[in-house]
Amino acid sequence: MAMAKMGVLMTCPMLSYLEEELNKRFNLFRFWEASSKSEFLTQNSDSVRAVVGNAFFGAESELIDALPNLEIVSSYSVGLDKIDLVKCKERGIRVTNTPDVLTDDVADAAIGLILATLRRICVADGFVRRGLWKNGDFELTSKFSGKLVGIIGLGRIGSAIAKRAEAFGCPISYHSRSKKPNLNYKYYSTVVDLAANSEILIVACALTEETRGIVNRKVLDALGPKGILINIGRGAHVDESELVAALIEGRIGGAGLDVYQTEPEVPEQLFGLENVVLLSHAASDTVETCTAMADLVIANLEAHFLHKPLLTPVL
Protein backbone atom coordinates (compact mmCIF):
# COMPACT_ATOMS: atom_id res chain seq x y z
CA MET A 1 0.00 0.00 0.00
CA ALA A 2 1.33 3.49 -0.86
CA MET A 3 2.46 5.50 2.16
CA ALA A 4 -0.11 8.24 1.47
CA LYS A 5 -2.92 5.71 1.92
CA MET A 6 -1.73 4.48 5.30
CA GLY A 7 -4.27 5.53 7.94
CA VAL A 8 -2.71 7.37 10.89
CA LEU A 9 -4.86 8.35 13.86
CA MET A 10 -3.68 11.42 15.78
CA THR A 11 -5.33 11.24 19.19
CA CYS A 12 -5.38 14.93 20.14
CA PRO A 13 -3.97 18.30 19.03
CA MET A 14 -0.19 18.42 19.18
CA LEU A 15 2.48 20.50 17.45
CA SER A 16 1.02 22.01 14.27
CA TYR A 17 4.23 21.09 12.41
CA LEU A 18 3.71 17.43 13.32
CA GLU A 19 0.09 17.52 12.18
CA GLU A 20 1.02 19.18 8.88
CA GLU A 21 3.83 16.71 8.15
CA LEU A 22 1.66 13.70 8.98
CA ASN A 23 -1.06 15.08 6.73
CA LYS A 24 1.43 15.42 3.85
CA ARG A 25 2.69 11.86 4.15
CA PHE A 26 -0.27 9.76 5.33
CA ASN A 27 -4.04 9.52 5.40
CA LEU A 28 -4.42 11.47 8.65
CA PHE A 29 -7.40 11.07 10.96
CA ARG A 30 -7.83 13.78 13.62
CA PHE A 31 -9.56 11.96 16.48
CA TRP A 32 -10.42 15.12 18.41
CA GLU A 33 -12.51 16.45 15.52
CA ALA A 34 -14.93 13.51 15.68
CA SER A 35 -18.22 14.56 17.27
CA SER A 36 -18.75 10.94 18.30
CA LYS A 37 -15.59 8.92 18.87
CA SER A 38 -17.47 5.60 18.92
CA GLU A 39 -19.14 6.45 15.62
CA PHE A 40 -15.80 7.49 14.14
CA LEU A 41 -14.21 4.20 15.17
CA THR A 42 -17.11 2.19 13.76
CA GLN A 43 -16.68 3.91 10.40
CA ASN A 44 -12.87 4.10 10.22
CA SER A 45 -11.39 1.42 12.49
CA ASP A 46 -10.32 -0.84 9.61
CA SER A 47 -8.37 1.99 7.97
CA VAL A 48 -6.18 2.93 10.94
CA ARG A 49 -2.72 1.31 10.79
CA ALA A 50 -0.92 3.67 13.18
CA VAL A 51 -1.67 5.80 16.23
CA VAL A 52 0.22 8.97 17.16
CA GLY A 53 -0.39 9.85 20.81
CA ASN A 54 1.31 11.87 23.51
CA ALA A 55 1.63 12.20 27.29
CA PHE A 56 -2.04 13.15 27.62
CA PHE A 57 -3.78 10.79 25.18
CA GLY A 58 -1.95 7.71 23.98
CA ALA A 59 -3.18 4.23 23.08
CA GLU A 60 -4.90 2.61 26.01
CA SER A 61 -6.69 -0.73 26.00
CA GLU A 62 -10.07 0.45 24.72
CA LEU A 63 -8.62 2.27 21.72
CA ILE A 64 -6.33 -0.62 20.80
CA ASP A 65 -9.27 -3.06 20.95
CA ALA A 66 -11.22 -0.82 18.56
CA LEU A 67 -8.47 -0.87 15.90
CA PRO A 68 -8.12 -4.38 14.41
CA ASN A 69 -5.45 -3.39 11.87
CA LEU A 70 -3.28 -1.32 14.19
CA GLU A 71 0.43 -2.01 13.56
CA ILE A 72 2.34 0.74 15.38
CA VAL A 73 1.95 3.36 18.12
CA SER A 74 4.41 6.21 17.64
CA SER A 75 4.32 8.37 20.75
CA TYR A 76 5.10 12.08 20.68
CA SER A 77 6.48 11.72 24.21
CA VAL A 78 9.13 9.79 26.12
CA GLY A 79 6.65 8.55 28.75
CA LEU A 80 4.76 5.33 28.06
CA ASP A 81 2.17 5.42 30.84
CA LYS A 82 -0.67 6.25 28.41
CA ILE A 83 0.02 3.18 26.25
CA ASP A 84 -1.16 -0.33 27.12
CA LEU A 85 2.19 -2.02 26.50
CA VAL A 86 0.93 -5.44 27.55
CA LYS A 87 -1.85 -5.38 24.96
CA CYS A 88 0.52 -4.04 22.30
CA LYS A 89 2.95 -6.89 23.00
CA GLU A 90 0.14 -9.47 22.86
CA ARG A 91 -0.98 -8.20 19.45
CA GLY A 92 2.49 -7.64 18.03
CA ILE A 93 1.94 -3.89 17.75
CA ARG A 94 5.19 -1.93 17.54
CA VAL A 95 5.70 1.00 19.93
CA THR A 96 8.13 3.91 19.67
CA ASN A 97 8.72 7.03 21.74
CA THR A 98 10.98 10.10 21.64
CA PRO A 99 13.83 9.59 24.13
CA ASP A 100 17.06 11.60 24.20
CA VAL A 101 15.83 14.53 22.12
CA LEU A 102 13.97 16.02 25.09
CA THR A 103 16.48 15.14 27.82
CA ASP A 104 18.33 18.47 27.84
CA ASP A 105 15.20 20.64 27.88
CA VAL A 106 13.59 18.70 30.72
CA ALA A 107 16.82 18.78 32.73
CA ASP A 108 17.16 22.52 32.06
CA ALA A 109 13.56 23.05 33.20
CA ALA A 110 14.24 21.15 36.43
CA ILE A 111 17.14 23.47 37.22
CA GLY A 112 14.96 26.45 36.29
CA LEU A 113 12.26 25.27 38.72
CA ILE A 114 14.84 24.86 41.48
CA LEU A 115 16.18 28.40 40.99
CA ALA A 116 12.71 29.92 40.60
CA THR A 117 11.50 28.21 43.79
CA LEU A 118 14.52 28.86 46.00
CA ARG A 119 15.16 32.42 44.78
CA ARG A 120 11.43 33.29 44.49
CA ILE A 121 12.03 34.58 40.98
CA CYS A 122 8.35 34.69 39.96
CA VAL A 123 7.37 36.48 43.19
CA ALA A 124 10.28 38.93 42.85
CA ASP A 125 9.22 39.70 39.27
CA GLY A 126 5.74 40.63 40.51
CA PHE A 127 7.27 42.67 43.32
CA VAL A 128 9.08 44.86 40.79
CA ARG A 129 6.16 45.06 38.33
CA ARG A 130 3.74 46.21 41.05
CA GLY A 131 6.08 49.04 42.05
CA LEU A 132 6.71 47.61 45.52
CA TRP A 133 10.49 48.01 45.30
CA LYS A 134 10.04 51.74 46.00
CA ASN A 135 8.74 50.81 49.45
CA GLY A 136 11.68 48.59 50.39
CA ASP A 137 13.79 45.65 49.34
CA PHE A 138 12.46 42.19 48.47
CA GLU A 139 12.72 39.49 51.14
CA LEU A 140 15.86 37.37 51.43
CA THR A 141 15.70 34.03 49.63
CA SER A 142 17.63 30.74 49.71
CA LYS A 143 20.70 29.83 47.65
CA PHE A 144 20.93 26.83 45.33
CA SER A 145 24.69 26.31 45.14
CA GLY A 146 25.95 23.57 47.45
CA LYS A 147 22.56 22.21 48.50
CA LEU A 148 22.04 18.46 48.89
CA VAL A 149 20.21 17.21 45.80
CA GLY A 150 18.36 13.89 45.79
CA ILE A 151 17.05 12.45 42.53
CA ILE A 152 14.40 9.76 42.22
CA GLY A 153 15.28 7.92 39.01
CA LEU A 154 18.73 8.18 37.48
CA GLY A 155 17.91 7.44 33.86
CA ARG A 156 18.62 9.79 30.95
CA ILE A 157 16.83 12.79 32.44
CA GLY A 158 17.84 12.16 36.04
CA SER A 159 21.49 11.85 35.01
CA ALA A 160 21.30 15.08 32.99
CA ILE A 161 19.84 16.90 36.01
CA ALA A 162 22.60 15.50 38.23
CA LYS A 163 25.27 16.75 35.83
CA ARG A 164 23.77 20.26 35.89
CA ALA A 165 23.36 20.29 39.67
CA GLU A 166 26.99 19.23 40.06
CA ALA A 167 27.98 22.42 38.24
CA PHE A 168 26.31 24.30 41.12
CA GLY A 169 28.53 22.44 43.58
CA CYS A 170 25.67 20.27 44.83
CA PRO A 171 26.38 16.82 46.33
CA ILE A 172 24.17 14.31 44.47
CA SER A 173 22.38 11.29 45.86
CA TYR A 174 19.74 9.12 44.24
CA HIS A 175 17.22 6.32 44.49
CA SER A 176 16.49 3.88 41.67
CA ARG A 177 15.51 0.24 41.29
CA SER A 178 19.14 -0.75 41.80
CA LYS A 179 22.49 0.86 42.53
CA LYS A 180 24.27 2.12 39.42
CA PRO A 181 27.87 0.95 38.92
CA ASN A 182 30.80 3.37 38.56
CA LEU A 183 29.04 6.40 40.03
CA ASN A 184 30.29 8.76 42.72
CA TYR A 185 26.72 9.62 43.75
CA LYS A 186 25.40 8.23 47.03
CA TYR A 187 22.68 5.59 46.62
CA TYR A 188 19.72 5.22 48.97
CA SER A 189 17.63 2.07 48.82
CA THR A 190 14.45 3.86 49.96
CA VAL A 191 12.90 7.16 48.92
CA VAL A 192 12.30 8.09 52.57
CA ASP A 193 16.04 7.83 53.31
CA LEU A 194 16.84 9.81 50.18
CA ALA A 195 14.40 12.57 51.17
CA ALA A 196 15.76 12.69 54.73
CA ASN A 197 19.23 13.36 53.31
CA SER A 198 18.17 15.91 50.66
CA GLU A 199 17.40 19.61 50.66
CA ILE A 200 16.06 19.38 47.09
CA LEU A 201 14.17 16.25 46.06
CA ILE A 202 13.64 15.79 42.32
CA VAL A 203 11.21 13.31 40.76
CA ALA A 204 12.66 12.13 37.43
CA CYS A 205 11.62 8.48 37.14
CA ALA A 206 9.25 6.81 34.69
CA LEU A 207 5.67 6.28 35.84
CA THR A 208 5.03 2.60 36.55
CA GLU A 209 2.83 0.77 39.02
CA GLU A 210 5.85 0.66 41.34
CA THR A 211 6.51 4.41 41.16
CA ARG A 212 2.89 5.61 41.28
CA GLY A 213 2.52 7.61 44.51
CA ILE A 214 6.23 7.16 45.30
CA VAL A 215 6.26 10.59 46.99
CA ASN A 216 3.82 10.22 49.89
CA ARG A 217 3.36 11.79 53.31
CA LYS A 218 6.30 9.89 54.82
CA VAL A 219 8.61 11.11 52.06
CA LEU A 220 7.41 14.71 52.36
CA ASP A 221 7.84 14.66 56.14
CA ALA A 222 11.35 13.25 55.69
CA LEU A 223 12.16 16.07 53.26
CA GLY A 224 11.16 18.53 55.98
CA PRO A 225 10.24 22.20 56.36
CA LYS A 226 13.35 23.51 54.59
CA GLY A 227 13.26 21.03 51.72
CA ILE A 228 11.74 21.61 48.30
CA LEU A 229 10.17 19.12 45.90
CA ILE A 230 10.68 19.36 42.13
CA ASN A 231 8.50 17.19 39.87
CA ILE A 232 9.26 16.91 36.15
CA GLY A 233 8.15 13.27 36.03
CA ARG A 234 4.41 12.62 36.12
CA GLY A 235 1.72 13.99 38.40
CA ALA A 236 0.80 10.51 39.61
CA HIS A 237 4.27 10.08 41.13
CA VAL A 238 3.15 12.35 43.98
CA ASP A 239 0.24 12.04 46.39
CA GLU A 240 -1.12 15.45 45.39
CA SER A 241 -3.46 15.97 48.36
CA GLU A 242 -0.58 15.22 50.75
CA LEU A 243 1.67 17.62 48.85
CA VAL A 244 -0.91 20.42 49.07
CA ALA A 245 -1.35 19.78 52.81
CA ALA A 246 2.42 19.71 53.40
CA LEU A 247 2.86 23.03 51.60
CA ILE A 248 -0.05 24.75 53.37
CA GLU A 249 1.06 23.45 56.77
CA GLY A 250 4.71 24.37 56.18
CA ARG A 251 5.92 20.76 56.50
CA ILE A 252 8.01 21.28 53.35
CA GLY A 253 9.62 24.47 52.20
CA GLY A 254 8.32 24.75 48.64
CA ALA A 255 7.72 23.02 45.33
CA GLY A 256 8.42 23.47 41.62
CA LEU A 257 5.89 21.48 39.58
CA ASP A 258 5.58 20.79 35.88
CA VAL A 259 3.08 17.93 36.18
CA TYR A 260 -0.13 17.20 38.06
CA GLN A 261 -2.42 14.30 38.87
CA THR A 262 -5.39 15.28 36.67
CA GLU A 263 -4.06 17.61 33.97
CA PRO A 264 -4.96 20.28 33.04
CA GLU A 265 -6.67 20.57 36.44
CA VAL A 266 -4.36 21.97 39.13
CA PRO A 267 -5.28 22.18 42.83
CA GLU A 268 -6.47 25.75 43.39
CA GLN A 269 -4.91 25.79 46.87
CA LEU A 270 -1.51 26.02 45.12
CA PHE A 271 -2.35 29.28 43.31
CA GLY A 272 -1.96 31.48 46.35
CA LEU A 273 1.28 29.96 47.61
CA GLU A 274 4.36 32.08 46.93
CA ASN A 275 6.73 29.19 47.63
CA VAL A 276 5.35 27.18 44.71
CA VAL A 277 6.27 27.55 41.02
CA LEU A 278 3.85 26.05 38.50
CA LEU A 279 4.46 25.07 34.87
CA SER A 280 1.92 23.56 32.46
CA HIS A 281 3.61 20.20 31.67
CA ALA A 282 5.92 22.20 29.43
CA ALA A 283 9.41 21.09 30.48
CA SER A 284 10.24 19.82 26.98
CA ASP A 285 8.26 22.47 25.12
CA THR A 286 10.85 24.40 23.13
CA VAL A 287 10.63 24.94 19.39
CA GLU A 288 13.83 23.01 18.83
CA THR A 289 12.92 19.97 20.89
CA CYS A 290 9.28 19.72 19.79
CA THR A 291 10.38 19.85 16.15
CA ALA A 292 12.98 17.12 16.76
CA MET A 293 10.36 15.00 18.56
CA ALA A 294 7.95 15.42 15.64
CA ASP A 295 10.64 14.43 13.15
CA LEU A 296 11.35 11.30 15.20
CA VAL A 297 7.66 10.32 15.30
CA ILE A 298 7.46 10.65 11.50
CA ALA A 299 10.77 8.84 10.92
CA ASN A 300 9.60 5.89 13.03
CA LEU A 301 6.32 5.66 11.10
CA GLU A 302 8.09 5.82 7.75
CA ALA A 303 10.63 3.20 8.83
CA HIS A 304 7.84 0.87 9.90
CA PHE A 305 5.84 1.17 6.71
CA LEU A 306 8.99 0.77 4.60
CA HIS A 307 9.94 -2.36 6.61
CA LYS A 308 13.12 -0.74 7.93
CA PRO A 309 14.43 -0.86 11.52
CA LEU A 310 12.67 1.52 13.90
CA LEU A 311 14.76 4.38 15.23
CA THR A 312 13.58 4.28 18.85
CA PRO A 313 11.74 1.00 19.43
CA VAL A 314 10.10 0.23 22.76
CA LEU A 315 8.38 -2.90 21.45
Side-chain angles (χ1 to χ4, degrees):
M1 188 187 289
M3 193 91 73
K5 292 183 180 178
M6 295 292 185
V8 174
L9 178 68
M10 197 174 188
T11 59
C12 60
M14 300 176 209
L15 187 70
S16 58
Y17 166 75
L18 174 59
E19 185 180 336
E20 289 160 10
E21 292 301 313
L22 288 171
N23 196 47
K24 284 179 192 174
R25 292 169 166 79
F26 306 102
N27 177 22
L28 182 63
F29 297 100
R30 297 167 176 85
F31 202 26
W32 67 94
E33 291 183 352
S35 53
S36 166
K37 288 185 168 46
S38 58
E39 193 175 307
F40 169 87
L41 290 170
T42 300
Q43 293 173 355
N44 299 287
S45 61
D46 288 344
S47 302
V48 175
R49 306 276 293 278
V51 166
V52 173
N54 64 7
F56 303 101
F57 191 163
E60 295 184 346
S61 179
E62 190 178 353
L63 181 60
I64 294 169
D65 285 341
L67 301 172
N69 295 320
L70 181 62
E71 299 174 15
I72 182 170
V73 177
S74 187
S75 183
Y76 179 66
S77 167
V78 70
L80 301 165
D81 49 290
K82 297 294 184 183
I83 301 171
D84 190 329
L85 294 174
V86 173
K87 185 148 284 189
C88 286
K89 193 170 185 178
E90 285 172 359
R91 283 195 33 195
I93 296 166
R94 304 303 306 272
V95 176
T96 64
N97 63 346
T98 57
D100 299 319
V101 291
L102 50 66
T103 298
D104 283 338
D105 275 344
V106 177
D108 290 351
I111 298 300
L113 282 169
I114 293 169
L115 286 166
T117 304
L118 286 172
R119 301 301 302 271
R120 303 285 176 93
I121 289 173
C122 302
V123 183
D125 177 86
F127 178 83
V128 175
R129 290 174 190 270
R130 293 196 306 275
L132 298 177
W133 193 11
K134 297 171 187 174
N135 304 326
D137 291 338
F138 188 65
E139 65 190 87
L140 295 179
T141 60
S142 185
K143 72 185 292 183
F144 174 25
S145 297
K147 278 201 165 42
L148 301 174
V149 170
I151 302 173
I152 304 173
L154 207 66
R156 293 181 183 91
I157 292 171
S159 297
I161 294 169
K163 184 178 178 182
R164 286 156 172 75
E166 278 189 291
F168 284 83
C170 297
I172 309 296
S173 53
Y174 73 99
H175 167 80
S176 60
R177 282 173 295 185
S178 58
K179 188 175 182 179
K180 310 281 185 185
N182 307 317
L183 272 182
N184 292 325
Y185 307 150
K186 184 167 178 57
Y187 172 73
Y188 288 97
S189 59
T190 73
V191 180
V192 171
D193 286 343
L194 177 66
N197 290 279
S198 300
E199 294 170 283
I200 302 164
L201 184 65
I202 304 168
V203 184
C205 54
L207 181 61
T208 65
E209 284 310 307
E210 291 75 29
T211 62
R212 190 177 295 274
I214 196 168
V215 177
N216 54 26
R217 186 184 180 101
K218 282 184 179 178
V219 171
L220 293 168
D221 285 346
L223 183 58
K226 291 185 178 178
I228 68 164
L229 178 73
I230 303 296
N231 190 3
I232 47 79
R234 288 288 186 266
H237 281 127
V238 178
D239 185 326
E240 199 162 75
S241 60
E242 288 290 353
L243 173 61
V244 170
L247 286 162
I248 290 171
E249 294 163 16
R251 286 186 285 112
I252 67 168
L257 308 172
D258 183 49
V259 289
Y260 311 89
Q261 212 152 33
T262 315
E263 296 172 1
E265 300 299 323
V266 177
E268 291 186 7
Q269 302 101 307
L270 296 177
F271 296 164
L273 299 178
E274 292 190 344
N275 59 339
V276 177
V277 178
L278 306 172
L279 296 182
S280 56
H281 200 148
S284 63
D285 289 359
T286 64
V287 172
E288 297 88 345
T289 286
C290 287
T291 302
M293 287 168 64
D295 287 338
L296 191 50
V297 167
I298 293 161
N300 275 310
L301 288 173
E302 290 184 332
H304 173 75
F305 290 127
L306 292 170
H307 307 291
K308 293 181 178 179
L310 300 178
L311 282 76
T312 52
V314 175
L315 289 177

